[in-house]
Amino acid sequence: MPDIIPILDNFAQLIYILPPMQHIYLDHAATTPVDHRVLEAMQPYFSEKYGNPSSLHFFGQEARKAIDAARDIIATEIGCTSDEVIFVSGGTEANNFVLKGIAFARTQGEIITTPIEHHAILEPLEFLEKRGFRVKILPVDKYGLVDPADVKKAITKETILVSVMHGNNEIGTIEPIREIAEVIRRRTKDEGRNIVFHTDAVQTFGYLPIKVDELNVDLMSVSAHKFYGPKGVGFLYIRKGTRLVRFMDGGAQEFGKRASTQNVPGIVGLGKAVQLLGKERSGRVAHARKLRDRLIAGIQSKIADVVFNGHPEQRLPNNAAFCVTGVEGESMVLNLDMERIAASTGSACSSGSLDPSHVLRAIGVDPVLAHGQVRFTLGNMNTEAEVDKVLEILPRIVEKLRRMSPLYKAK
């Protein structure tokens, strides 16, 4: 009997030396890779500069300086003072902090929002409704846009908070935040009271230059991993004078607003990612928009019966989201994955749900058609060749799935 060990060894070596299969990643709305320059900035703070920033000795103060530097970078980028920037674990925590913090500071009242918000807004609002707070859901049009006039009509003497996302994670529509803020400010001025305005800018911060005074918001949520920073860290902008109950107790960190030892490597990475973004945003946006438009034009010319979702112009520059008649989105995504192309059906946070997207329901998409959504979100490293590869493969996948589908009849 031959000795199989050398054979297995040779096989393993053969597998090892084969070039890796090339994957195409088009799901940057779910997360982005950490920029190598961000990683380099973070690395010393894992095992060399490892002090607790609350400690008074050299190691602690070294970490404290790094945190302060990151906070200053962010404050400069968004046009606020450093003590208005609070580090958190990401967008979900920031949104929970806002909703529960404002609600519990006021003890009662009404919160206004939209039906297309991320679950990190909608689920905390369900929590608050069970505890006696009222939640009012604004309508949106077929593109997912909120009409500022509807905000004006919705505000009552009981309104304590309005929360409207800056850009939608599924369909890419960018909301008229400045105009909504103006409506709120007019009402608060006329009636002599304070209605707090919050925006979830998790999807937009990496693409739109944001100054909080220009947007005229009181609170803003941002997460690092959406713009080439690390996961598990983000920041919440809190305008000075905004009263909210802190979300976590147990220490005086973050100006007494958020207890817990700070994630120093993550915060350093966040600061570096924001610094790079400030220098490179315009180039990144131009690159993403060029690829997005190439992808959309190609799909329109190669695949029949496709409905694009979101506003045609007022949208994120990297987002191409659409529904394909007679095909399930999950089937398209799985078939694309077998071809080494990563896309999604919508929000990564609800990918396990069999229900049609709450965003598509809100904009009036037929429930059957809504099951056929696929979303491509482009990033810095994508190329025209990768887009062309998608345009070569996706029509074949759609054709195959439609042949199998009892729902599709070619026109």
Side-chain angles (χ1 to χ4, degrees):
M1 181 176 179
D3 185 355
I4 64 167
I5 295 176
I7 297 172
L8 291 176
D9 281 347
N10 288 338
F11 180 72
Q13 290 169 18
L14 176 64
I15 295 297
Y16 181 78
I17 63 173
L18 285 174
M21 294 187 295
Q22 295 299 309
H23 284 73
I24 299 173
Y25 185 75
L26 296 173
D27 196 18
H28 291 82
T31 196
T32 58
V34 175
D35 188 293
H36 71 92
R37 296 166 292 180
V38 170
L39 182 59
E40 288 170 7
M42 294 172 64
Q43 283 177 332
Y45 294 91
F46 286 107
S47 56
E48 297 172 29
K49 303 178 180 183
Y50 50 81
N52 184 322
S54 296
S55 299
L56 296 178
H57 49 61
F58 167 81
F59 294 94
Q61 293 310 297
E62 186 177 45
R64 166 62 59 188
K65 288 178 182 176
I67 287 177
D68 289 345
R71 202 186 308 272
D72 289 344
I73 289 169
I74 294 166
T76 299
E77 180 64 27
I78 67 174
C80 70
T81 59
S82 294
D83 59 353
E84 293 176 304
V85 175
I86 304 301
F87 292 119
V88 294
S89 64
T92 296
E93 183 188 332
N95 289 342
N96 273 265
F97 189 175
V98 166
L99 298 173
K100 296 173 183 177
I102 294 294
F104 294 148
R106 303 291 184 94
T107 70
Q108 61 183 353
E110 176 184 81
I111 301 169
I112 297 173
T113 191
T114 84
I116 64 168
E117 300 295 313
H118 193 277
H119 289 293
I121 290 288
L122 297 177
E123 290 185 14
L125 287 176
E126 290 178 7
F127 170 89
L128 291 171
E129 274 191 302
K130 293 174 183 176
R131 284 151 182 83
F133 292 91
R134 290 180 298 281
V135 176
K136 188 175 289 182
I137 306 295
L138 298 170
V140 293
D141 68 13
K142 65 180 181 179
Y143 300 123
L145 281 174
V146 176
D147 187 341
D150 288 331
V151 178
K152 182 178 180 180
K153 292 175 189 174
I155 292 173
T156 69
K157 292 182 179 180
E158 305 300 319
T159 304
I160 59 174
L161 170 68
V162 178
S163 181
V164 177
M165 70 189 334
H166 196 191
N168 186 264
N169 52 302
E170 290 193 31
I171 61 176
T173 295
I174 297 169
E175 300 295 342
I177 297 299
R178 291 185 185 89
E179 292 81 358
I180 293 170
E182 181 61 28
V183 166
I184 296 169
R185 301 308 175 208
R186 263 193 246 113
R187 287 296 298 267
T188 55
K189 183 179 179 181
D190 293 344
E191 298 176 14
R193 60 195 181 88
N194 183 28
I195 300 172
V196 179
F197 185 32
H198 165 253
T199 192
D200 176 343
V202 167
Q203 289 294 329
T204 53
F205 188 78
Y207 297 96
L208 304 180
I210 292 175
K211 299 294 184 184
V212 290
D213 281 346
E214 291 177 10
L215 279 188
N216 208 359
V217 294
D218 300 299
L219 300 149
M220 182 173 71
S221 305
V222 175
S223 190
H225 76 105
K226 303 296 188 178
F227 52 95
Y228 307 94
K231 296 177 181 64
V233 66
F235 71 87
L236 173 62
Y237 161 71
I238 305 177
R239 185 178 293 277
K240 202 166 293 183
T242 303
R243 188 168 62 92
L244 70 170
V245 173
R246 69 181 189 171
F247 183 55
M248 294 177 67
D249 295 309
Q253 293 91 347
E254 296 303 298
F255 310 108
K257 291 184 170 67
R258 198 263 191 187
S260 182
T261 300
Q262 290 99 331
N263 172 8
V264 181
I267 291 169
V268 169
L270 168 59
K272 185 65 175 180
V274 172
Q275 183 182 59
L276 293 170
L277 183 61
K279 297 175 180 178
E280 300 174 2
R281 184 187 282 110
S282 60
R284 295 181 187 185
V285 168
H287 177 72
R289 183 178 286 117
K290 179 181 178 182
L291 295 183
R292 180 203 66 187
D293 292 347
R294 185 183 186 94
L295 178 62
I296 290 174
I299 290 169
Q300 288 175 326
S301 67
K302 293 174 180 288
I303 305 175
D305 300 325
V306 171
V307 177
F308 280 86
N309 299 319
H311 198 279
E313 297 172 358
Q314 198 168 313
R315 66 181 301 113
L316 291 166
N318 71 327
N319 178 292
F322 52 93
C323 292
V324 181
T325 304
V327 178
E328 288 188 346
E330 289 84 358
S331 297
M332 281 188 287
V333 168
L334 290 172
N335 276 268
L336 284 165
D337 189 53
M338 286 189 283
E339 297 284 352
R340 302 190 294 279
I341 297 169
S344 72
T345 57
S347 173
C349 297
S350 58
S351 60
S353 173
L354 295 177
D355 294 329
S357 158
H358 71 283
V359 174
L360 298 189
R361 291 201 307 269
I363 64 175
V365 176
D366 178 87
V368 175
L369 180 60
H371 277 293
Q373 176 168 244
V374 63
R375 180 191 70 180
F376 295 102
T377 44
L378 298 117
N380 296 348
M381 301 305 293
N382 291 131
T383 65
E384 289 186 0
E386 289 179 331
V387 169
D388 291 344
K389 187 70 174 176
V390 173
L391 293 174
E392 173 193 332
I393 291 172
L394 182 61
R396 295 205 305 261
I397 289 173
V398 171
E399 183 182 3
K400 178 184 75 172
L401 293 174
R402 280 175 168 171
R403 285 200 303 267
M404 300 163 56
S405 173
L407 300 175
Y408 184 72
K409 293 180 180 179
K411 293 179 181 178

